[in-house]
């Protein structure tokens, strides 16, 4: 290894500053052999003195047990752990890391809910890291990390101790990993990234000079670069091989030695040549070690090869001398994962399969459940399908027991890859488990076809078919296929007569009205009643809880006054309080329902309660939905500061829930329209409506149509607005959910008024008003009063019009509907200015101020036109028709333009800042507008200096 770090000075300097100033987050990325680990070792040498270094290595193997690499890091720190000062929660780690158990508090009772248990483990690990601080936690090869480790990273970053630095390495040649998602949620400015690229010719020459100790002419450096691709590890290995044949001083003159190496197989040729220098025993030992993994376990290797410990030690010593192995952390390891892979590939297939079967059987004899994933892996590589399936199922069961549904779904998906090899009982059992695990593990797309193929079999019992169909329906719903999911679950109901527990859960899903189009309210109410009866038959407290939550949601979506009594009682119910995950899910469902009917204040309350519970129960996917619903509630409540960027980011995410993706797109286009990007919003909403109709998703189909109607009205197309609003109202008529009709109703009347067709809509407004008279649904109540006011104003009944609109305005304020209240204020001010009332101008100014706080450019432009029409002075800063923020860039906009000025593309900027490319485009567009520039090509240092920090 070179004594000097070559070609990485800029990356090292930037990351060394970060590691010296904790808390910091460091990501080192690049292809295999590019020098990630070497750069990390150099950084650790620059860490503050006395800092504990916690090293964890992720493995290319599914693991049903949580936090393997983090727990490995704790094992190395036994002597630094002092039990004093540690809270009892840290005792949760004792069963997982027996080597340090005597240094930890006694383990507390394990919670029954696995997610609660996982949350306690995350808290324990975070506290122990803080206890060991100042500390640097290094997780190598996170591209192989399991979902639980990524979840822990997300948690740790949100609770990062002040004196801790987190360093991760990741390969870029194996596709994207969730590490970006974890780090994207870190506080601004904390993350530093180094993307390592191959060395250029000059750097290869410099590295060669340090390795050989002699000057290397440029032609030789160029030839070496051609052979190795500039990958440092390959350069080192090629030179090590040449040094075994030629003295260092002579290598620069032996260009034929380099020429003899194939460009595409340089490293393979080197490793195979070293392998061939070993005797037969040593080769056998190394072949067996390569089958087991990157790190050599001498005891296991001796057991596999049936050589005694002395012969294994001698073989490993020979492998060290040949340069195949090296020492790391007191253990023998292959010098690189590439070297291990080359030895593995060089072993003939029959021999490899024999070794895999041998490893699996040796591990089986240890009767340790923690080895189930490894045993399954080796049986699969051995080609022994039935044995693999047996152990994959065992590993999946262990994963579920530890709350790791994502790993369980992956084990089961692999186990069903060749269904023909399994008996029908095995197929049904494993596929049923897969259906359960995949819903929480988010393996929808891969799992649904497996369940579909099995359902085509006629050998299933009704109960088995019903359970599989219910699981398939839930998977479809998770993917966003509302109509298909509803249909499968509906078909499952009769098949589940002998399983009242599952039947009740299926009926509770069918009772939810906000998922699917064209199923009338009466059908949902009937399904809810059936669910209550099935839950009574089941006699399960958990099933009864799920049905109660669904019933409360159904009543809430209608605006039924009984809903809030049920919800408030459930929130105090001991059964709910002991199941935090179900409590959090119920809270977010109810928050969404409150938002759908316009009760923003109750939505806020439920959202805060549910988010707090979700954070404690640690469900990152649920927290992601809370983030989305929180943004929706902020939009309704008028908290728009930074909302455009949040909405843009949410719309570009790949949610695990298809319906969430639709909601995120709806919010993004809603905000686009409010901020003046009407044409883009129209195009986006049109696409969204088409997609919702394709899958049968009623929400956000109805509000998207209403939003599109509003935009068409703004763009001077009253007929288009009328048609869109009419389509939304027709869907609501078929659904019977008039509590959702607020925005569509108002646009319907406004468009009719513009078309001179008010008489055509009178009866509908009266009918809807009658239907929702007793409902507790603020949005539609405000809308009905607004529509009555508009019709009265059209008829010349000024007093009735203003009285109705004043009531609508007050009701909107009470419900927390800020934008709706501002629109009522604007309209009332306009009407009063028309008749010369003294408070007309002040009402218009009040509306303008509200729109200004929202940065609602379309509304600002409209109200300022109205003010000028009435001769009302337009105050600064809105005289130009919209507020101006001068050249003040946000911190994020500054980061984007600085990188753009340095020549980076939007995609490169997105990768560095852990943002989506679309979010970067938005920041860039906003920054160019604020700087008065028309193109990123105009960015220069002077322009950036004109933008002060905010």
């Amino acid at each position: 290894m070179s004594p000097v770090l070559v070609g990485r000075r800029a990356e090292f300097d930037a990351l060394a500053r970060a590691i010296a100033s904790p808390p910091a987050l460091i990501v080192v990325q690049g292809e295999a052999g590019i020098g990630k680990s070497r750069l990390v070792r150099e950084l650790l040498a620059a860490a503050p003195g006395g800092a504990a270094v916690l090293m964890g290595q992720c493995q290319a193997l599914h693991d049903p047990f949580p936090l393997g690499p983090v727990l490995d890091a704790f094992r190395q720190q036994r002597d630094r752990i002092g039990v004093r000062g540690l809270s009892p929660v840290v005792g949760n780690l004792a069963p997982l890391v027996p080597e340090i158990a005597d240094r930890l508090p006694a383990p507390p009772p394990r919670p029954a809910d696995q997610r609660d248990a996982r949350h306690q483990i995350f808290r324990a690990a975070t506290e122990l890291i803080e206890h060991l601080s100042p500390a640097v936690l290094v997780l190598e090869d996170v591209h192989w990390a399991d979902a639980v480790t990524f979840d822990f990273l997300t948690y740790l970053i949100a609770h990062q101790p002040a004196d801790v630095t987190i360093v991760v390495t990741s390969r870029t040649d194996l596709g994207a990993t969730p590490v970006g998602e974890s780090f994207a949620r870190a506080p601004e400015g904390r993350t530093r990234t180094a993307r390592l690229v191959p060395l250029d010719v000059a750097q290869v020459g410099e590295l060669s000079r340090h390795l050989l100790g002699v000057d290397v002419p440029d032609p030789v450096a160029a030839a070496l670069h051609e052979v190795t691709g500039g990958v440092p590890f390959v350069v080192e290995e090629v030179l090590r091989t040449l040094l075994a044949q030629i003295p260092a001083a002579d290598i620069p003159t032996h260009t034929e030695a380099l020429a003899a190496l194939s460009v595409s197989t340089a490293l393979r040729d080197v490793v195979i040549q070293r392998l061939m220098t070993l005797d037969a025993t040593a080769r056998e030992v190394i072949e067996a070690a390569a089958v087991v993994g990157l790190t050599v376990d001498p005891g296991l290797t001796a057991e596999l090869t049936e050589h005694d410990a002395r012969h294994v030690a001698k073989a490993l010593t020979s492998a060290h001398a040949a340069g195949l192995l090296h020492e790391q952390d007191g253990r023998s390891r292959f010098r690189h994962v590439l070297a291990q892979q080359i030895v593995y590939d060089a072993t003939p297939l029959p021999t490899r399969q024999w070794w895999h079967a041998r490893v699996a059987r040796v591990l089986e004899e240890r009767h340790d459940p923690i080895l189930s994933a490894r045993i399954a892996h080796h049986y699969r590589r051995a080609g022994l399908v039935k044995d693999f399936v047996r152990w994959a199922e065992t590993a999946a069961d262990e994963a579920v027991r530890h709350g790791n549904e994502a790993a369980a779904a992956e084990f089961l998906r692999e186990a069903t890859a060749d269904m023909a090899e399994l008996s029908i009982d095995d197929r049904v059992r494993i596929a049923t488990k897969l259906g359960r695990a995949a819903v929480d593990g988010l393996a929808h797309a891969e799992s649904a076809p497996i369940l579909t193929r099995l359902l085509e079999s006629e050998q299933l019992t009704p109960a088995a078919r019903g359970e599989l169909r219910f699981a398939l329906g839930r998977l479809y719903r998770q993917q966003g296929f509302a109509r298909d999911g509803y249909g499968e679950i509906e078909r499952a109901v009769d098949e589940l007569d002998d399983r009242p527990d599952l039947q009740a859960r299926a009926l509770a899903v069918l009772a939810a009205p906000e998922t699917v189009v064209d199923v009338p309210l009466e059908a949902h109410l009937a399904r809810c009643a059936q669910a209550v009866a099935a839950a009574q038959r089941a006699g399960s407290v958990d099933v009864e809880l799920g049905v109660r939550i669904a019933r409360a949601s159904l009543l809430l979506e209608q605006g039924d006054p009984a809903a809030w009594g049920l919800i408030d009682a459930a929130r105090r119910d001991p059964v709910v309080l002991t199941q935090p995950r179900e409590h959090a899910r119920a809270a977010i469902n109810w928050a969404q329902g409150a938002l759908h009917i316009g009760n923003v204040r109750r939505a806020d309350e439920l959202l805060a309660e549910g988010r707090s519970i979700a954070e404690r129960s640690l469900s990152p996917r649920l927290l992601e939905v809370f983030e989305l619903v929180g943004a929706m509630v902020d939009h309704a409540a008028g908290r728009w500061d930074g909302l455009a960027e949040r909405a843009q980011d949410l719309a570009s995410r790949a949610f695990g829930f298809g319906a969430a993706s639709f909601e995120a797109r709806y919010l993004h286009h809603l905000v686009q329209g409010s901020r003046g990007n009407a044409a883009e919003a129209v195009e986006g909403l049109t696409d969204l409506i088409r997609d919702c109709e394709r899958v049968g998703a009623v929400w956000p189909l109805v509000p998207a149509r209403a939003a599109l109607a509003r935009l068409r009205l703004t763009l001077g197309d009253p007929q288009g607005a009328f048609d869109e609003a009419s389509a939304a109202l027709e869907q609501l008529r078929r659904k019977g959910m008039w509590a959702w009709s607020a925005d569509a109703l108002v646009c319907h009347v406004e468009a009719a008024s513009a078309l001179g067709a008010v008489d055509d809509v009178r009866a509908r407004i009266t009918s809807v008003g009658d239907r929702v008279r007793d409902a507790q649904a603020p949005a539609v109540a405000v809308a009905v009063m607004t529509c009555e006011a508009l019709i009265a104003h059209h008829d010349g009944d000024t007093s009735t019009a203003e009285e109705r609109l004043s009531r609508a305005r007050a009701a909107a304020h009470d419900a927390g509907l800020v934008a709706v209240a501002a629109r009522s204020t604007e309209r009332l001010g306009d009407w009063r200015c028309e008749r010369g009332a003294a408070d007309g101008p002040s009402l218009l100014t009040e509306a303008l101020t509200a729109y200004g706080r929202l940065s609602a450019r379309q509304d600002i432009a409209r109200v300022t036109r109205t003010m000028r029409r009435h001769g009302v002075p337009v105050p600064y800063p809105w005289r130009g028709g919209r507020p101006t923020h001068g050249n003040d860039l946000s911190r994020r906009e500054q980061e984007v333009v600085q990188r753009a000025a340095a020549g980076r593309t939007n995609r490169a900027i997105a990768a560095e800042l852990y943002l989506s490319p679309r979010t970067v485009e938005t920041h860039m567009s906003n920054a160019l507008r604020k700087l008065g520039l028309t193109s990123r090509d105009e960015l220069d240092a002077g322009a950036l200096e004109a933008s002060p920090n905010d």
Side-chain angles (χ1 to χ4, degrees):
M1 183 178 291
S2 168
V4 176
L5 186 65
V6 174
R8 309 296 186 212
R9 178 50 54 186
E11 293 89 346
F12 174 81
D13 289 345
L15 299 186
R17 288 192 295 270
I19 206 170
S21 303
L25 302 169
I26 294 173
V27 185
V28 182
Q29 295 181 314
E31 64 180 283
I34 204 68
K36 301 182 293 297
S37 297
R38 172 65 190 275
L39 178 58
V40 168
R41 283 194 288 275
E42 297 285 341
L43 288 173
L44 292 177
V53 177
L54 290 81
M55 296 285 295
Q57 177 75 46
C58 303
Q59 303 290 340
L61 183 69
H62 301 314
D63 192 346
F65 295 88
L67 297 186
V70 178
L71 300 180
D72 285 343
F74 289 148
R75 290 186 180 94
Q76 306 160 19
Q77 300 297 324
R78 173 185 165 79
D79 293 341
R80 292 182 64 117
I81 299 172
V83 70
R84 288 185 179 180
L86 292 173
S87 73
V89 75
V90 182
N92 284 283
L93 298 175
L96 301 175
V97 199
E99 295 89 339
I100 61 172
D102 62 328
R103 316 285 290 186
L104 304 178
R110 183 181 177 88
D113 189 300
Q114 296 307 321
R115 294 171 183 84
D116 288 346
R118 185 194 303 180
H119 180 236
Q120 289 196 9
I121 291 170
F122 283 13
R123 285 178 54 203
T126 302
E127 182 178 334
L128 185 54
I129 291 171
E130 185 170 20
H131 174 77
L132 293 167
S133 66
V136 181
L137 172 65
V138 181
L139 296 181
E140 292 251 44
D141 296 328
V142 294
H143 46 273
W144 284 326
D146 61 281
V148 176
T149 299
F150 280 122
D151 290 346
F152 173 69
L153 265 179
T154 303
Y155 178 87
L156 178 61
I157 287 166
H159 302 82
Q160 187 172 356
D163 211 5
V164 170
T165 295
I166 303 169
V167 181
V168 302
T169 69
S170 177
R171 279 172 60 176
T172 53
D173 54 328
L174 296 178
T177 69
V179 69
E181 181 180 336
S182 298
F183 277 57
R185 303 185 184 188
E188 288 277 345
R190 186 172 292 182
T191 304
R192 295 289 181 270
T193 305
R195 288 177 175 268
L196 304 186
V197 298
L199 304 179
D200 60 24
V201 172
Q203 291 165 340
V204 168
E206 182 183 355
L207 177 60
S208 303
R209 283 191 289 275
H210 288 299
L211 290 168
L212 299 175
V214 297
D215 187 48
V216 176
D218 290 345
V220 175
L224 191 57
H225 182 272
E226 177 70 15
V227 166
T228 63
V231 177
F233 174 71
V234 183
V235 174
E236 292 178 1
E237 296 303 286
V238 167
L239 290 178
R240 284 170 62 90
T241 297
L242 292 176
L243 279 170
Q245 305 167 1
I246 309 169
D250 294 342
I251 287 178
T253 63
H254 283 68
T255 54
E256 76 284 353
L258 287 174
L261 292 171
S262 165
V263 173
S264 60
T265 61
L267 182 58
R268 183 182 182 282
D269 292 345
V270 165
V271 172
I272 295 301
Q273 182 177 346
R274 293 177 189 172
L275 184 63
M276 291 300 103
T277 65
L278 304 179
D279 62 32
T281 299
R283 279 203 304 275
E284 182 183 44
V285 166
I286 293 304
E287 285 176 355
V291 166
V292 172
L294 194 62
T295 302
V296 181
D297 180 339
L300 176 59
T301 305
E303 198 170 354
L304 294 174
T305 60
E306 298 182 335
H307 293 302
D308 60 35
R310 185 173 69 85
H311 283 95
V312 169
K314 182 179 178 182
L316 296 179
T317 300
S318 299
H320 275 269
L324 290 167
L325 303 178
H326 70 152
E327 180 184 341
Q328 183 174 325
D329 302 325
R331 306 183 71 181
S332 293
R333 288 170 60 94
F334 282 90
R335 282 183 49 77
H336 195 275
V337 65
L338 296 176
Q340 179 220 350
Q341 188 63 45
I342 290 168
V343 173
Y344 179 88
D345 291 341
T347 305
L349 177 61
T351 304
R352 284 205 309 265
Q353 290 180 321
W354 187 89
W355 278 123
H356 278 297
R358 174 79 177 141
V359 174
R361 290 179 181 124
V362 167
L363 294 179
E364 261 191 277
E365 292 171 1
R366 297 186 178 184
H367 305 291
D368 185 350
I370 203 169
L371 299 174
S372 56
R374 291 179 63 188
I375 295 170
H377 163 79
H378 287 294
Y379 272 132
R380 186 182 192 192
R381 291 294 185 93
L384 300 173
V385 174
K386 291 183 179 179
D387 291 305
F388 160 65
V389 169
R390 175 165 54 93
W391 282 98
E393 186 177 3
T394 301
D397 291 343
E398 288 295 325
V400 170
R401 196 167 70 81
H402 287 80
N404 191 356
E405 287 87 357
E410 185 60 23
F411 285 126
L412 293 166
R413 186 187 64 77
E414 291 177 351
T416 57
D418 191 355
M419 301 286 276
E421 296 267 351
L422 308 180
S423 71
I424 187 63
D425 290 341
D426 288 342
R427 293 185 218 173
V428 172
R429 186 185 66 255
I430 294 172
T432 301
K433 289 182 178 181
L434 173 62
R436 293 189 204 121
V439 171
D440 287 327
L442 302 183
H444 320 136
E446 298 88 349
S447 303
I450 296 170
L451 270 63
T452 301
R453 288 196 299 272
L454 190 54
L455 278 167
E456 293 171 356
S457 168
E458 298 179 359
Q459 304 175 60
L460 302 178
T461 65
R465 185 177 296 279
E467 185 167 6
L468 284 179
R469 200 181 300 283
F470 181 32
L472 179 61
R474 294 178 68 200
L475 291 180
Y476 281 151
R477 281 165 48 85
Q478 297 284 60
Q479 289 178 271
F481 300 126
R483 186 184 292 107
D484 293 342
Y486 192 94
E488 290 293 343
I489 296 173
E490 197 168 41
R491 293 170 64 191
V493 168
D494 290 341
E495 297 171 332
L496 290 170
D497 273 340
D498 293 336
R499 291 291 307 275
D501 55 335
L502 287 179
Q503 189 180 57
R505 293 186 185 279
L507 288 164
V509 173
L510 298 178
E514 71 278 10
T515 54
V516 68
V517 296
D518 294 339
V519 175
L521 175 60
E522 290 76 13
H524 294 299
L525 291 169
R527 290 305 195 184
C528 187
Q530 292 174 313
V532 171
Q536 290 174 345
R537 282 200 302 133
S540 164
V541 173
D542 291 347
V543 171
E544 190 269 341
L545 169 62
V547 171
R548 285 168 56 203
I549 291 171
R551 181 167 179 262
S553 297
L554 172 59
L555 296 180
L556 177 60
E557 295 283 1
Q558 303 170 65
D560 190 314
W564 290 113
L566 291 175
I567 289 170
D568 291 338
R571 291 163 67 190
R572 299 188 299 269
D573 191 298
V575 177
V576 175
L577 296 176
T578 56
Q579 299 193 46
R581 188 176 175 87
E582 289 305 311
H583 190 171
R585 281 180 167 169
I588 199 167
N589 285 342
W590 294 331
Q592 285 179 297
L595 183 61
H596 291 168
I597 63 172
N599 197 328
V600 177
R601 300 197 192 285
R602 291 304 297 264
D604 254 335
E605 175 189 335
L606 288 161
L607 192 70
E609 175 182 312
R611 184 188 287 118
S612 173
I613 297 164
E615 287 172 349
R616 293 200 302 273
S617 64
L618 207 76
S619 174
R621 277 79 186 181
L622 202 54
L623 286 171
E624 189 175 55
V625 178
F626 270 102
E627 186 180 354
L628 171 60
V629 177
M632 299 285 293
V633 173
D634 285 345
H635 181 269
R639 296 185 290 264
W640 287 16
D641 185 29
L643 184 61
E645 289 77 12
R646 288 166 61 196
Q648 175 90 30
D649 177 56
L650 288 165
S652 64
R653 286 191 194 175
F655 281 89
F657 307 94
S661 299
F662 289 152
E663 293 263 12
R665 289 167 60 191
Y666 165 64
L667 175 63
H668 171 53
H669 301 316
L670 205 60
V671 174
Q672 271 186 320
S674 300
R675 292 174 68 86
N677 301 322
E680 292 179 37
V682 165
E683 181 180 355
L685 286 169
T686 301
D687 290 343
L688 175 60
I689 288 167
R690 183 190 63 244
D691 291 343
C692 287
E693 288 181 324
R694 174 175 53 82
V695 299
V698 71
W699 201 276
L701 174 59
V702 168
R705 282 201 181 280
L708 184 55
R710 169 67 57 198
L711 284 170
R712 294 206 182 282
L713 205 55
T714 300
L715 295 171
D717 179 12
Q719 185 61 58
F722 186 84
D723 293 343
E724 288 293 348
S726 297
L729 292 171
E730 174 57 22
Q731 285 171 324
L732 290 172
R733 184 195 66 77
R734 295 197 298 270
K735 192 79 181 171
M737 294 298 297
W738 293 109
W740 298 344
S741 64
D743 294 339
L745 276 180
V746 175
C747 279
H748 193 54
V749 174
E750 288 180 323
S753 179
L755 295 169
V758 170
D759 290 342
D760 296 343
V761 301
R762 292 177 190 272
R764 171 165 273 171
I765 301 306
T766 301
S767 174
V768 174
D770 291 341
R771 290 174 181 275
V772 301
R773 193 175 309 282
D774 297 327
Q776 289 184 2
V780 73
V782 168
V784 168
M785 287 186 281
T786 300
C787 290
E788 291 172 346
L790 289 168
I791 292 172
H793 188 266
H794 174 271
D795 293 343
D797 185 353
T798 304
S799 61
T800 299
E802 293 187 6
E803 182 270 334
R804 291 281 193 279
L805 194 57
S806 295
R807 287 174 53 200
R809 176 172 174 249
H813 274 299
D814 289 343
L817 296 165
V818 172
V820 175
R823 184 74 177 98
S824 298
T825 301
E826 175 194 351
R827 202 187 306 271
L828 191 59
D830 183 18
W831 290 354
R832 288 185 174 170
C833 280
E834 284 179 351
R835 63 181 182 82
D839 62 347
S842 63
L843 287 169
L844 289 175
T845 302
E846 180 185 333
L848 176 62
T849 302
Y851 292 143
R853 284 195 294 266
L854 298 175
S855 298
R857 296 173 193 153
Q858 289 280 16
D859 297 314
I860 290 169
R862 184 184 62 250
V863 74
T864 52
R865 288 195 300 269
T866 302
M867 294 172 79
R868 291 190 179 98
R869 177 162 50 82
H870 290 301
V872 178
V874 179
Y876 179 83
W878 292 289
R879 292 189 185 124
R882 68 180 184 185
T884 174
H885 303 286
N887 286 339
D888 295 340
L889 302 187
S890 70
R891 183 173 290 105
R892 186 61 93 187
E893 287 166 352
Q894 290 180 46
E895 291 176 333
V896 168
V897 297
Q898 286 166 357
R899 285 166 171 76
R904 290 177 176 82
T905 64
N906 283 359
R907 186 166 296 280
I909 297 170
E912 290 179 18
L913 298 180
Y914 292 103
L915 300 172
S916 72
R918 291 175 64 183
T919 300
V920 171
E921 290 170 9
T922 298
H923 285 315
M924 182 65 69
S925 175
N926 291 340
L928 292 176
R929 175 178 55 76
K930 292 178 181 181
L931 293 170
L933 305 177
T934 59
S935 166
R936 62 185 287 147
D937 295 335
E938 299 176 54
L939 289 170
D940 57 29
L944 300 185
E945 289 171 3
S947 172
N949 292 329
D950 59 4

